[in-house]
Amino acid sequence: MAPPIAAVRSTATSESEIRAAERTLKAGTWSITAGAIVFSVLTVTPLVRTVTPPGWGWTAPILPVVVDAAVIIVVQLDSVISKLGGAGGAWPALLRWMTGVMTLCLNVGNSALDSDWVGVAVHSVAPLLLIVTAEAGLAYRRAISSALSRIAREQAEAAEQQRAQRDAREQRERDERERARAAQEQAAREEREQAERLERERAEREESRLEAERQHALALERERTAREENERAARIEQENAAREHTARMERERAERELAERRRREQSDRDREERERRDRERARAEKAAAAVAIPAPGRRATSAKVVGQPSRIVESVVLSDEFAGLTRDEAEAALFELYRAARDASVAADWEEDPLARPGGPFCGSNLGRRLGRSDASGRAKVKPKFERWYEEYQKKKAGQQELVGVG
């Protein structure tokens, strides 16, 4: 059973009060500790200075500072350990009492040496108060930690009871909802099964009626389809006959046109071939005439190939052969002569032809001379360029012949 609301409120109030009391204890403890430390330093320093050798009086404040540092350690660690709910054992207690006794002795030492018992009583107030405050503070902190632990435990138990009651209430509500939903589903299922049974019976009756109508419609459709098939077969046969006749007439006409086009194309090719041969023959004669003219002041040499007509090969060619032409025009004109001579050559290898061999009019050196250049330029540039142009010419010629053959 959950604790009463008043009990929970009382617990919360007690915890807040305990926290406030803990803060008050901490502030008071540190205030007393700070005051005792300052008072101890001021009281103990003259006593230590009286027993310090001359020249070392400046070290007198070190001893009270060391003792007070031990006091700070005791107070702080006691506070932490008490919060953790533990106990430091005998050594922390010994340190606590030893620092307290040392502080007391050092504070009353000067008055005791002077037999000033009033001073002894006055100077023992702060150390005794610090000792008692440390012990009382330790007891207070342990009691506070115990109370806080008890309150936390009670709150956890109360929260656990509330959670268990809430879970039990939610489980009861879920069970009730589940039972209600199961009852609704059962009723809906029975109603649905009844409706499905009625619908199934109606559907069966409707299906029987539709089946009879469908069979009748199928019989009528089969009769109509058979009639349409016969009509379509007759129509297709007529269309096929007409299409075959038209295709045959079109094929015959296309064959006649193709034969006529091929005849005209063959006639055009024959004419173009004759014209080409005439042009090549004219260029070859022109090239042969140009080759046959020896250079003035030079002696011509001749070479003869077995099975080939004799040709005159000149070793030096006129350098002003293409005077008046630009460089590109001179190269084009000389290439035409080169191409005509190579087309007319009957040698298996053009480089073995007397015209192309060293000393011939179409060797690399003489090609450079005929264009007014050096021998090296003719061999390295002119001859390779003419060979490339000749390959392009052969490819173009082959392409034109393929196009004529396709047509």
Side-chain angles (χ1 to χ4, degrees), residues 18-294:
I18 292 172
R19 294 291 183 185
E22 183 181 12
R23 289 193 296 271
T24 301
L25 175 63
K26 183 176 182 179
T29 300
W30 281 111
S31 298
I32 294 172
T33 302
I37 290 172
V38 173
F39 186 77
S40 176
V41 171
L42 297 177
T43 303
V44 175
T45 299
L47 175 63
V48 176
R49 186 179 289 116
T50 59
V51 296
T52 302
W56 292 92
W58 58 272
T59 62
I62 295 177
L63 179 61
V65 170
V66 170
V67 175
D68 294 339
V71 173
I72 293 174
I73 292 174
V74 169
V75 173
Q76 179 65 21
L77 292 182
D78 284 345
S79 175
V80 173
I81 293 175
S82 64
K83 286 182 179 180
L84 297 177
W91 286 107
L94 176 62
L95 178 61
R96 187 166 58 251
W97 278 97
M98 185 175 68
T99 55
V101 171
M102 288 180 179
T103 303
L104 176 63
C105 294
L106 289 173
N107 276 271
V108 302
N110 199 9
S111 298
L113 292 176
D114 295 337
S115 299
D116 184 7
W117 302 112
V118 175
V120 170
V122 171
H123 287 90
S124 64
V125 173
L128 291 176
L129 182 61
L130 180 61
I131 295 171
V132 175
T133 301
E135 292 295 332
L138 180 59
Y140 285 145
R141 289 189 182 93
R142 288 175 179 173
I144 289 173
S145 298
S146 177
L148 291 176
S149 299
R150 178 182 53 79
I151 292 173
R153 185 170 57 255
E154 292 176 354
Q155 290 178 348
E157 292 175 355
E160 181 64 23
Q161 290 179 359
Q162 291 179 352
R163 185 184 63 78
Q165 293 177 356
R166 184 174 62 253
D167 292 344
R169 184 173 59 255
E170 292 177 352
Q171 183 63 35
R172 287 194 301 272
E173 293 175 354
R174 283 197 297 271
D175 293 341
E176 293 176 357
R177 288 195 299 269
E178 186 66 25
R179 285 194 296 271
R181 184 169 58 252
Q184 292 177 356
E185 291 178 354
Q186 179 66 21
R189 184 165 55 252
E190 293 176 354
E191 183 179 355
R192 186 168 57 254
E193 290 175 354
Q194 178 67 17
E196 289 176 354
R197 184 171 60 256
L198 296 176
E199 180 65 22
R200 192 161 49 249
E201 293 174 356
R202 187 192 65 78
E204 289 175 356
R205 291 193 300 272
E206 184 67 18
E207 182 65 23
S208 300
R209 184 182 64 80
L210 293 176
E211 181 63 24
E213 294 178 355
R214 188 162 52 249
Q215 292 298 331
H216 179 67
L218 286 175
L220 296 177
E221 182 66 20
R222 281 195 295 271
E223 294 178 359
R224 185 182 63 79
T225 302
R227 186 169 57 254
E228 290 179 354
E229 286 292 336
N230 294 332
E231 294 176 356
R232 185 164 55 253
R235 186 169 59 254
I236 291 174
E237 185 177 356
Q238 293 176 359
E239 291 176 354
N240 289 338
R243 189 161 49 251
E244 289 178 359
H245 177 72
T246 302
R248 185 171 60 257
M249 297 298 292
E250 185 66 24
R251 189 166 53 253
E252 292 176 356
R253 184 183 63 79
E255 290 177 355
R256 289 194 300 271
E257 292 179 355
L258 179 60
E260 180 65 21
R261 186 169 62 255
R262 287 179 177 176
R263 186 185 61 78
R264 288 196 302 269
E265 291 175 353
Q266 184 63 35
S267 177
D268 293 341
R269 285 197 298 271
D270 293 342
R271 185 177 66 255
E272 290 176 358
E273 183 66 19
R274 287 194 299 271
E275 292 176 355
R276 185 185 62 79
R277 290 176 181 175
D278 293 341
R279 287 194 301 271
E280 291 180 354
R281 185 164 46 252
R283 284 195 298 268
E285 291 175 356
K286 181 178 178 181
V291 170
I293 300 174

